[in-house]
Amino acid sequence: MASLYRYKPLSQDDEIRLLQLEPGSGDDHIRFTLHPVRLSNKPLYEAISYCWGDAGETCEVFCEDGLLLVTNNLYTALRHLRREDAVRVLWADAVCINQRDIPEKNRQVRLMSRIYSQPSAVLIWLGDNSSGLDGLDGCIKTALELLPPEHVEFEEICPISCKIFLEAARLRREKKPNFLDHDWRPITSLVMRPWFNRRWIIQEVALADGAVPRTVICGDVEFPWNELASVAYRMACYGITTLLAGLSTINYHAPYMLAFLEDNGRPFYMLGAAYMTYVLAVYRKLDLVDCVTATPVFQCTDQRDHLYSLLSLHQDTLGLEADYSLSIEEVCKKFAVTALVSYQNLKLLCLAPDTSYFTGGQTQERLALPSWVPDLTRQGPVNPLVSYTIRPQLFHAGGNQKPNVTVSTGGRVLHLGGRIVDRVAKLIRPQDEVPFPTEEDVAPKSGFHSCMKMRMRNWMGACYEVAGEEYRRRTKNKGDPEQTPDETKEQTELRRGFLETLLCGMTTMREPVPEEVLLAMQVYVDYLFDYFTDGFELSEEVRITMLTWGAVIENSLLGMVDCRRFCRTEQGRLGQVRNEASEGDAVVCIVGAEVPYLLRENTEKKGVYTLVGDCFLQGVMQGEAFSDQRYQTVDIAIE
């Protein structure tokens, strides 16, 4: 019996191992040799991107005269990729890096940007099971024809969104091909594969030059990655995924809606992951905090890779390097201290304490970290309110002064300047926790979409109750229009403030809410309430407004209120705060911070606070607290 293979140490700083896969077929043993090469010599190789899979399920392969154990996924990839009559030169991290040699692993991970930027091809292996993928090639090509064009300029996206649903509805009425009726099942089946939310894939498909082919391989099915990525990008940008998955309150019924909702909506989220992978490949100017913010759904086997897998995506890594001798707690804390203190980057606070959200009794214990240190293992669906660095900053709650952030000698208490401007007085339950109505609740209406409408209406009704009667629109009573007075300027401003708060003051692209969207938003709100009144009839004017602006409204609304709670403060301001908020929590505008934060005073340590999370609050988002003499800047200590 062969002994286990023993790695030979690498001697040069830019040296890696390449796997020379020997010819074979059928049940032949997998055999290869490992050869050291220097990246500076531009060696020829293909890089494999794959999901490691269950570390406990391994197969034997022969490396030179020794045995190596590899996971089933890599084993099937090597069987599929080997040629019958020629050697194939590959790079696969599990065997080309000595995973048990921590110093070597640290050095090799630091070379990832070079390893994946110069292969002759990237081979994306999804596994050998191609079930459910019949007709995939045609499905992708037709989708590219039916979907609106791809734009990377943000200014082009909103105008297109305002046309596509109106056009799709027209095509449907004329019984012509449209994306509403397209059979998306081959694509939704494809993205169920675990590769799609593996964290390392981001750099593995993003780093290579655009001319380097990236080929997706699933059993005998092969196609270019860029085609699928373009489909996912277009669907997400224009709100099409939300509509097709039945998560919209205004859409036409999509016949393949359930395909997006399998396995608790996994296809929906994985298309979002493919979209974000594409975005990170296009917008290379994102900084490290941006990248962590943008990738909450991606998972990894080693929790430290929540950070380390992103280090190769850009030049500014905040001076951080992969170090697998550190614990995950040490990695999180080093990231936070470096960003907040060394770089004074307050955007990081939007990730703290975490952005996860668990329902149905599921819980995951937070790492033993101060509240201002993001738990990178618990990043999830909460959409932070700060702008990405590639976009103009939308909010300036912390005024124009530069921040001055320090940390205590023990490293547990963060000190910064801020102004306590208000406290939470009333809260409603989060939108995603509003009970889903039954068919009896919506009668005489019926169907899934009537239930969706009532659920959203019930949430908005609760928002009105907390906001107060003065925020309601003065609508006309049916058949008695003369009794309704004209809306005063003050009432108009209150209504605008309410609508802006529902949207957290922004569109999905972190743009200020345009006047046209606010006007359409009022039509949207009125529609949800009118829909359940006796004798309701959808007017053509409302139908056109909903089809024109509905995607922009719902993309922004659902993207921001998920895992947030609508609130009113002691001083009568309206806001959106994290799910974990409680009455009495303080709203603090931190010097130099983009958005306000919610803090909870420590009952045992006077003057020390725990960070609850970021928030949106009417009347303080543009630095108003720093021009109001009622508030004074004080030292804020957060533990």
Side-chain angles (χ1 to χ4, degrees):
M1 180 178 176
S3 59
L4 291 178
Y5 175 76
R6 298 187 66 177
Y7 282 89
K8 303 175 183 66
L10 298 171
S11 58
Q12 303 293 327
D13 289 342
D14 68 341
E15 198 170 40
I16 65 171
R17 300 182 185 89
L18 291 180
L19 183 160
Q20 295 192 354
L21 185 60
E22 296 180 7
S25 61
D27 293 329
D28 293 346
H29 288 299
I30 292 175
R31 298 180 181 276
F32 56 80
T33 54
L34 292 174
H35 295 269
V37 297
R38 297 191 66 179
L39 288 169
S40 55
N41 292 333
K42 307 296 183 183
L44 292 176
Y45 63 94
E46 298 168 291
I48 307 176
S49 175
Y50 66 103
C51 180
W52 275 36
D54 189 341
E57 298 179 4
T58 59
C59 300
E60 291 182 348
V61 295
F62 289 88
C63 179
E64 299 174 17
D65 295 327
L67 283 176
L68 274 176
L69 298 178
V70 299
T71 62
N72 284 347
N73 281 350
L74 180 56
Y75 181 81
T76 57
L78 295 175
R79 283 180 65 90
H80 184 92
L81 295 173
R82 67 180 172 181
R83 300 187 172 106
E84 292 187 5
D85 55 0
V87 169
R88 191 166 193 174
V89 182
L90 305 167
W91 188 88
D93 56 356
V95 292
C96 292
I97 299 174
N98 183 356
Q99 299 292 329
R100 297 188 177 185
D101 185 336
I102 298 302
E104 177 185 303
K105 186 176 180 180
N106 290 340
R107 293 191 297 270
Q108 292 288 288
V109 168
R110 293 165 194 164
L111 292 173
M112 285 291 197
S113 61
R114 297 177 64 183
I115 293 171
Y116 275 101
S117 64
Q118 63 185 61
S120 59
V122 177
L123 308 174
I124 300 168
W125 175 251
L126 303 186
D128 54 5
N129 180 9
S130 59
S131 61
L133 304 187
D134 292 344
L136 177 65
D137 185 63
C139 177
I140 292 176
K141 285 181 167 50
T142 301
L144 291 171
E145 295 171 1
L146 296 175
L147 293 171
E150 180 181 309
H151 279 283
V152 295
E153 298 83 10
F154 291 103
E155 291 73 16
E156 298 292 333
I157 293 173
C158 185
I160 294 174
S161 294
C162 296
K163 300 175 182 177
I164 56 175
F165 295 105
L166 199 60
E167 177 64 10
R170 181 187 67 80
L171 291 172
R172 172 178 263 190
R173 288 198 306 272
E174 296 175 3
K175 301 188 184 305
K176 293 180 179 178
N178 62 84
F179 61 75
L180 291 170
D181 295 325
H182 181 55
D183 187 353
W184 296 93
R185 288 176 295 181
I187 291 177
T188 57
S189 177
L190 175 76
V191 298
M192 292 284 280
R193 273 67 181 175
W195 178 86
F196 280 89
N197 71 328
R198 176 178 168 265
R199 184 163 283 274
W200 282 100
I201 73 168
I202 303 169
Q203 68 167 6
E204 292 168 1
V205 301
L207 288 175
D209 183 85
V212 174
R214 299 157 174 82
T215 303
V216 180
I217 307 169
C218 188
D220 295 327
V221 175
E222 294 189 16
F223 62 92
W225 157 258
N226 285 346
E227 291 184 357
L228 176 67
S230 182
V231 168
Y233 181 81
R234 299 187 209 185
M235 292 176 73
C237 276
Y238 301 116
I240 293 171
T241 321
T242 299
L243 181 140
L244 292 175
L247 302 179
S248 166
T249 64
I250 62 175
N251 67 350
Y252 289 93
H253 179 69
Y256 300 104
M257 176 184 75
L258 294 179
F260 290 85
L261 301 177
E262 288 187 35
D263 192 17
N264 294 318
R266 181 175 175 81
F268 176 82
Y269 291 110
M270 292 307 97
L271 281 167
Y275 156 75
M276 192 50 67
T277 301
Y278 185 83
V279 168
L280 291 171
V282 172
Y283 300 106
R284 293 295 185 89
K285 293 183 179 180
L286 290 166
D287 68 17
L288 185 58
V289 175
D290 287 334
C291 290
V292 175
T293 303
T295 56
V297 302
F298 293 88
Q299 301 299 315
C300 51
T301 303
D302 189 319
Q303 300 285 26
R304 292 165 290 192
D305 290 336
H306 282 288
L307 182 67
Y308 293 163
S309 65
L310 302 171
L311 293 177
S312 299
L313 291 177
H314 41 79
Q315 294 181 344
D316 185 6
T317 63
L318 306 181
L320 297 170
E321 292 185 337
D323 183 353
Y324 287 93
S325 68
L326 300 178
S327 67
I328 178 59
E329 290 85 359
E330 290 171 319
V331 171
C332 291
K333 193 169 182 180
K334 186 174 183 179
F335 173 46
V337 171
T338 302
L340 290 169
V341 180
S342 301
Y343 285 78
Q344 300 288 298
N345 186 345
L346 291 174
K347 289 180 184 288
L348 179 130
L349 289 177
C350 265
L351 301 174
D354 57 71
T355 61
S356 65
Y357 179 54
F358 298 89
T359 59
Q362 295 179 321
T363 58
Q364 177 183 328
E365 187 174 351
R366 180 175 145 81
L367 297 175
L369 297 167
S371 64
W372 53 269
V373 177
D375 183 344
L376 297 179
T377 71
R378 285 170 49 96
Q379 297 302 304
V382 180
N383 195 353
L385 296 171
V386 295
S387 301
Y388 290 101
T389 52
I390 58 172
R391 302 291 294 141
Q393 184 172 315
L394 178 57
F395 302 124
H396 298 82
N400 299 319
Q401 300 178 49
K402 292 184 178 180
N404 182 20
V405 185
T406 60
V407 66
S408 65
T409 304
R412 288 202 60 85
V413 181
L414 193 72
H415 291 273
L416 33 74
R419 296 190 172 191
I420 301 173
V421 298
D422 216 333
R423 292 184 183 275
V424 175
K426 295 181 180 179
L427 287 161
I428 69 166
R429 75 173 78 191
Q431 189 271 337
D432 48 17
E433 290 185 10
V434 174
F436 198 79
T438 65
E439 288 288 338
E440 184 178 352
D441 293 330
V442 301
K445 307 289 187 184
S446 63
F448 177 80
H449 286 106
S450 291
C451 294
M452 287 287 293
K453 289 178 174 66
M454 179 170 280
R455 184 169 185 257
M456 183 61 79
R457 187 207 67 171
N458 291 345
W459 174 74
M460 286 185 173
C463 293
Y464 272 127
E465 288 181 14
V466 164
E469 182 63 28
E470 67 269 27
Y471 286 91
R472 287 186 182 274
R473 189 184 189 194
R474 289 354 185 220
T475 56
K476 297 178 180 180
N477 297 321
K478 293 183 182 298
D480 198 10
E482 68 277 5
Q483 290 188 6
T484 302
D486 292 334
E487 189 172 69
T488 66
K489 182 178 180 181
E490 182 183 7
Q491 289 167 345
T492 300
E493 290 303 312
L494 286 172
R495 176 168 53 81
R496 284 172 55 88
F498 176 79
L499 298 174
E500 282 185 337
T501 304
L502 291 181
L503 298 171
C504 286
M506 69 176 82
T507 65
T508 306
M509 296 300 171
R510 300 299 197 274
E511 294 282 356
V513 183
E515 181 65 24
E516 300 92 333
V517 173
L518 280 177
L519 291 172
M521 178 72 174
Q522 185 64 67
V523 175
Y524 173 84
V525 173
D526 290 344
Y527 163 75
L528 290 176
F529 282 92
D530 292 344
Y531 182 80
F532 293 97
T533 59
D534 294 339
F536 168 76
E537 292 183 9
L538 180 64
S539 70
E540 183 64 10
E541 181 182 4
V542 171
R543 188 184 76 87
I544 296 299
T545 300
M546 299 290 272
L547 286 173
T548 303
W549 297 101
V552 177
I553 291 170
E554 291 203 320
N555 246 14
S556 303
L557 183 64
L558 297 176
M560 298 317 301
V561 305
D562 193 19
C563 307
R564 296 188 190 277
R565 303 173 70 180
F566 189 89
C567 75
R568 181 168 178 147
T569 67
E570 291 178 353
Q571 297 181 29
R573 298 184 177 98
L574 304 184
Q576 296 269 13
V577 295
R578 294 278 186 92
N579 279 5
E580 297 78 11
S582 297
E583 294 179 2
D585 287 344
V587 179
V588 178
C589 291
I590 296 170
V591 173
E594 188 170 343
V595 299
Y597 288 88
L598 213 61
L599 302 181
R600 184 172 300 152
E601 193 162 8
N602 190 319
T603 56
E604 298 178 357
K605 299 179 181 178
K606 185 175 178 58
V608 177
Y609 294 85
T610 297
L611 177 63
V612 178
D614 62 357
C615 66
F616 175 88
L617 192 66
Q618 278 287 333
V620 302
M621 300 304 293
Q622 298 302 334
E624 296 91 338
F626 289 86
S627 59
D628 192 327
Q629 298 304 312
R630 290 180 298 169
Y631 312 116
Q632 299 298 315
T633 301
V634 297
D635 177 68
I636 303 291
I638 307 174
E639 187 173 28

